[in-house]
């Protein structure tokens, strides 16, 4: 198995690049943002609860997203590997993910971390907000709250994987194709190694 975390602040291109990477490497895409938006559109109890946090630009409580990931891992046993997009976003989520993967005799091979300036993040999300219909992109205050939440709770997740030398920084500015090439070059290199021994 090859398990990859695509990491970075809101708007850094995780969702955009994930679509291209799963097509190339046949990994199972697990995006907690997509899973939560699907719960919201189906108006489930979980979705209605999550929406209250997302609309303010806050993270959804750990137990909710960890439960969703646990179910997704159980429902996808025969896959070549997972691409985690937007998860883990807190230190607790990272620890839980490591435990869940260890129980399946596997681990995170690498965290690829997209680096994008704050100015560019805001520009991208404001632009997406003009067409996406996403309530969390709809005004700059909420976008700024999401970026603050990232600095407060999520940036530290990189330290967790840095301790085991699994973080590779990737320049996240440029064209979508240029960034895809940078990510693919790293994955091609890492897939030849066994990082879970
Ligand atoms: P997510 O769905 O994960 O989304 P995101 O961080 O906003 O965006 P992403 O980085 O995927 O950016 P994208 O490619 O779309 O999270 C949404 C919310 O869900 C969170 O705020 C939180 O409330 C909740 N949530 C999710 N996971 C959670 C968790 N684990 N724990 C707790 N809460 C959780 O790109 C953005 C825009 O930029 C797009 O319009 C794209 O077209 C454009 N773009 C991409 N690459 C570009 C490039 N190279 N140049 C120019 N524009 C580009």
């Amino acid at each position: 198995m090859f398990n990859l975390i695509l990491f970075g602040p809101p708007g850094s291109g995780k969702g955009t690049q994930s679509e291209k990477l799963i097509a190339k490497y046949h990994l199972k895409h697990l995006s907690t943002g997509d899973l939560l938006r699907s719960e919201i559109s189906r108006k489930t109890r979980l979705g209605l609860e999550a929406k209250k946090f997302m609309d303010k630009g806050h993270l959804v409580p750990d137990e909710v997203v960890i439960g969703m990931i646990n179910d997704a891992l159980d429902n996808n046993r025969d896959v070549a590997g997972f691409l985690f997009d937007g998860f883990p976003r807190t230190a607790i989520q990272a620890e839980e993910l490591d435990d869940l993967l260890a129980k399946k005799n596997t681990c995170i091979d690498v965290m690829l971390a997209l680096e994008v300036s704050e100015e560019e993040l805001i520009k991208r999300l404001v632009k997406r907000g003009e067409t996406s219909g996403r309530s969390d992109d709809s005004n700059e205050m909420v976008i700024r709250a999401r970026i603050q939440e990232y600095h407060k709770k999520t940036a530290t997740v990189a330290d967790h994987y840095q301790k085991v030398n699994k973080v590779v920084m990737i320049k996240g500015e440029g064209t979508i194709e240029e960034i895809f090439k940078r990510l693919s070059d790293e994955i091609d290199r890492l897939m030849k190694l066994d990082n879970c021994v």
Side-chain angles (χ1 to χ4, degrees), residues 19-124:
E19 291 302 326
K20 297 174 71 65
L21 292 171
I22 53 161
K24 178 165 180 183
Y25 295 102
H26 310 291
L27 300 172
K28 176 71 190 168
H29 184 198
L30 291 184
S31 157
T32 38
D34 288 351
L35 292 170
L36 290 166
R37 282 186 288 277
S38 153
E39 297 280 345
I40 291 173
S41 67
R42 287 184 284 121
K43 295 193 166 57
T44 64
R45 211 156 64 92
L46 190 157
L48 294 175
E49 189 54 27
K51 189 171 186 313
K52 292 186 210 155
F53 294 89
M54 292 168 76
D55 281 354
K56 293 193 198 111
H58 295 165
L59 293 181
V60 172
D62 285 334
E63 57 276 17
V64 175
V65 278
I66 291 165
M68 284 189 334
I69 288 288
N70 193 9
D71 291 348
L73 292 180
D74 280 346
N75 293 336
N76 291 282
R77 288 170 187 273
D78 297 317
V79 294
F82 292 98
L83 190 166
F84 296 96
D85 162 7
F87 181 89
R89 256 178 159 99
T90 64
I92 290 174
Q93 292 180 19
E95 281 162 25
E96 287 284 343
L97 177 61
D98 288 351
D99 288 349
L100 290 174
L101 292 175
K103 283 189 196 133
K104 297 181 191 305
N105 295 318
T106 185
C107 79
I108 290 299
D109 287 86
V110 67
M111 167 185 272
L112 296 176
L114 292 167
E115 287 183 295
V116 178
S117 72
E118 195 153 320
E119 192 190 342
E120 171 73 10
L121 296 175
I122 292 169
K123 201 170 83 188
R124 288 182 190 179

Side-chain angles (χ1 to χ4, degrees), residues 17 176-186 188:
Q17 295 295 333
I176 289 170
E177 282 310 321
E178 282 166 349
I179 300 161
F180 180 57
K181 164 101 175 46
R182 287 174 206 143
L183 292 166
S184 297
D185 285 350
E186 277 305 321
D188 291 341

Side-chain angles (χ1 to χ4, degrees), residues 107-166:
C107 79
I108 290 299
D109 287 86
V110 67
M111 167 185 272
L112 296 176
L114 292 167
E115 287 183 295
V116 178
S117 72
E118 195 153 320
E119 192 190 342
E120 171 73 10
L121 296 175
I122 292 169
K123 201 170 83 188
R124 288 182 190 179
L125 293 175
V126 167
K127 186 162 174 241
R128 183 170 68 185
E130 290 166 7
T131 53
S132 68
R134 267 177 62 167
S135 51
D136 59 348
D137 287 341
S138 63
N139 77 64
E140 203 171 315
M141 240 168 62
V142 175
I143 291 172
R144 286 190 187 274
R146 287 161 63 194
I147 294 173
Q148 258 176 31
E149 193 85 328
Y150 170 81
H151 289 302
K152 216 163 58 187
K153 298 180 182 163
T154 305
T156 159
V157 174
D159 302 337
H160 177 93
Y161 291 100
Q162 195 79 61
K163 283 186 198 137
V164 283
N165 266 330
K166 291 200 172 171

Side-chain angles (χ1 to χ4, degrees), residues 1-2 109 187-197:
M1 263 191 149
F2 185 83
D109 287 86
I187 295 173
D188 291 341
R189 184 179 70 78
L190 289 158
M191 273 187 158
K192 295 187 192 121
L193 313 170
D194 190 353
N195 295 300
C196 291
V197 284

